Amino acid sequence: TRNFVTNYSSSHPVTDSAAAGTALATGCKTANSFIGVDDKGNELRTIADVASEQGYMVGLVTNVGINHATPSCFYGHTSDRFGFPKLVDNYIASDVAFVAGSTIMDMKSGPQDPKYKPVTTAELAERIRNAGITLTLDVEEAAKTSGKRVALVANDKENKHVPYVIDRKGDEVHTLLNHSKAAIEYLAREAKDGFFLMIEGGKLDYAAHEQDAVTTFYEVNEFAQCVDLALAFAAEHPDETLIIVTADHETGGMALGWDHYEIRMDVLMAQRASAIELTKTIQKMRAEGKRDWNDYKKAISDGFGLWSHVPVSPEDEKILQKDFYDIFLKYGPMVDGLYNKSEFLIYDAIRILNRAASIDWTSLYHTGMYTPIFTKGVGETLFLDCRDQTEIPKTIASLMGGQL
């Protein structure tokens, strides 16, 4: 079945990930930046709590930090989404059996709260291990572990996320798909009475914040592979499985076909790197003392296909040269995509590429667009009655025999 739902928060017409994740996890609207609490700060029960009460095991998979906003909404309780150490403590105290992600977000990852002292990823990893949880970097070990809670991360030393799909070197083990496979193998074996599993394509959101269409498409494709994985499992267990695909919000306001209704996807085929990866490349060149525009023009051409594959008008090249001489070489301001910052030179190059493909964006942040919900399996038609995202977890809870 297919449906659309609203997603505004209790404080803003456009939600952030914390409030939207809380809505999807608890069935209650809250203020932006709040996780697992209502807008007065009162703790809320989550669908993960209901699942545990009904005898189901719980798993959470993401390709960002395991204590980032969305996964945290299923176990955390705080009015500060950037209070990462507290969210780790909430995870330890929860019944979540399996969690997987890029890393453990440290206290230096977001706005500083004077209540918290700086805490490193390594220190938070040790905190998890000291709680008796198997924290591992080995995907196979995570899948095969029995009788213990598991936390699988790609990095337990520093707050460093796995690369975008487009930036992989071909030997990346820590992928959203591999982590999802490990979660399903673990839960299918360990859970005696079924399981609840949430899989988030978090880096999809990151790429859209950066208005990087090609990188976003790559991330969507990997998430689609995870959907296929879930559907394959459901095909083997058709009488006891429900698959739900939805989003907590829309990011970037991507518009397709703005130029005379056309979409020229072939224009994008030459992009070989994300905007963030190319930003790192040109920053390295600058640090090495390179100041010749032609060197940077070649780097952009190699990464995005401009000039070599996509024509660049003299007017657009003047914009890029102005970015280069007036901002980049002078270490000027950067474009803030919320989770990453890119140089204006790269931001404008991506805009030129997007426009050539007849793609445009309305925001570097979230929008108030309705979000889709697709369901397949046991109780799928019940979700046709959902009008707001808060009704989704309530419907899941009722199918489990519980209540939110």
Side-chain angles (χ1 to χ4, degrees):
T1 63
R2 303 173 182 85
N3 193 7
F4 285 86
V5 292
T6 52
N7 53 56
Y8 56 89
S9 73
S10 67
S11 62
H12 293 74
V14 178
T15 187
D16 76 343
S17 295
T22 295
L24 285 174
T26 70
C28 180
K29 286 197 177 293
T30 192
N32 283 6
S33 194
F34 285 26
I35 286 178
V37 295
D38 65 19
D39 52 15
K40 301 293 190 296
N42 300 307
E43 290 191 7
L44 299 167
R45 290 172 70 247
T46 72
I47 187 62
D49 295 328
V50 174
S52 295
E53 292 165 2
Q54 297 301 313
Y56 297 89
M57 292 188 79
V58 175
L60 306 171
V61 176
T62 183
N63 51 7
V64 293
I66 62 172
N67 54 339
H68 211 311
T70 300
S72 294
C73 290
F74 291 83
Y75 61 73
H77 306 283
T78 178
S79 58
D80 175 17
R81 60 175 290 185
F82 297 106
F84 298 123
K86 180 178 180 179
L87 290 169
V88 167
D89 291 337
N90 288 161
Y91 157 65
I92 291 171
S94 75
D95 291 325
V96 175
F98 188 103
V99 67
S102 284
T103 186
I104 309 162
M105 308 288 283
D106 60 38
M107 199 52 231
K108 296 174 288 185
S109 303
Q112 296 296 302
D113 186 324
K115 298 194 297 293
Y116 297 112
K117 297 179 181 179
V119 182
T120 67
T121 291
E123 289 170 334
L124 293 173
E126 190 64 20
R127 192 180 297 185
I128 292 173
R129 288 191 173 100
N130 288 340
I133 298 170
T134 298
L135 176 62
T136 180
L137 279 65
D138 189 315
V139 176
E140 185 174 358
E141 179 187 3
K144 302 297 184 188
T145 296
S146 183
K148 296 185 68 175
R149 295 172 66 192
V150 173
L152 169 63
V153 294
N155 195 318
D156 65 349
K157 298 291 189 263
E158 57 182 334
N159 178 32
K160 185 177 180 181
H161 289 103
V162 296
Y164 284 122
V165 175
I166 194 174
D167 296 325
R168 290 177 188 163
K169 304 306 180 185
D171 57 353
E172 183 63 51
V173 174
H174 289 283
T175 67
L176 185 66
L177 182 60
N178 285 345
H179 283 192
S180 299
K181 288 178 178 177
I184 291 176
E185 180 178 339
Y186 171 92
L187 292 167
R189 183 188 63 251
E190 297 293 302
K192 307 307 178 187
D193 298 305
F195 61 87
F196 170 86
L197 174 61
M198 189 284 295
I199 300 173
E200 180 207 17
K203 297 210 71 176
L204 189 165
D205 174 61
Y206 279 36
H209 274 293
E210 294 145 20
Q211 297 187 349
D212 187 343
V214 174
T215 298
T216 301
F217 295 156
Y218 272 94
E219 296 301 315
V220 170
N221 283 339
E222 183 173 47
F223 183 75
Q225 291 174 346
C226 294
V227 174
D228 288 341
L229 179 68
L231 290 172
F233 178 88
E236 296 177 358
H237 309 274
D239 298 328
E240 54 190 18
T241 306
L242 170 66
I243 307 295
I244 300 172
V245 180
T246 190
D248 50 352
H249 52 73
E250 194 277 340
T251 303
M254 181 190 287
L256 300 176
W258 66 271
D259 183 12
H260 296 90
Y261 312 111
E262 295 183 4
I263 304 177
R264 296 178 286 273
M265 300 301 288
D266 60 301
V267 168
L268 306 174
M269 298 303 291
Q271 184 171 337
R272 295 289 180 264
S274 70
I276 296 307
E277 191 64 22
L278 196 50
T279 286
K280 294 176 184 176
T281 296
I282 65 170
Q283 288 175 338
K284 183 173 182 291
M285 292 169 63
R286 181 177 60 188
E288 293 170 346
K290 295 181 178 179
R291 300 180 66 84
D292 187 332
W293 163 243
N294 288 317
D295 291 335
Y296 290 85
K297 182 176 178 178
K298 182 180 185 305
I300 294 170
S301 179
D302 291 344
F304 290 164
L306 296 182
W307 293 284
S308 61
H309 185 74
V310 180
V312 178
S313 70
E315 293 77 16
D316 280 339
E317 183 161 353
K318 285 181 181 179
I319 291 172
L320 296 178
Q321 288 180 323
K322 182 175 176 59
D323 289 340
F324 176 69
Y325 289 112
D326 293 353
I327 301 177
F328 179 72
L329 289 184
K330 296 179 180 179
Y331 290 81
M334 299 176 68
V335 179
D336 188 354
L338 186 62
Y339 298 117
N340 293 301
K341 291 184 179 181
S342 61
E343 297 288 352
F344 269 94
L345 176 58
I346 300 303
Y347 173 71
D348 281 332
I350 275 285
R351 290 182 65 197
I352 292 168
L353 180 63
N354 285 337
R355 289 203 310 271
S358 192
I359 295 172
D360 210 345
W361 302 77
T362 62
S363 174
L364 282 164
Y365 301 98
H366 301 169
T367 71
M369 289 291 295
Y370 282 36
T371 45
I373 171 173
F374 304 91
T375 59
K376 182 176 178 61
V378 178
E380 63 179 60
T381 57
L382 295 175
F383 294 86
L384 291 172
D385 293 329
C386 294
R387 295 293 176 266
D388 185 82
Q389 61 186 177
T390 53
E391 298 172 60
I392 296 173
K394 293 177 181 178
T395 306
I396 298 171
S398 67
L399 285 168
M400 288 179 172
Q403 186 176 2
L404 274 175

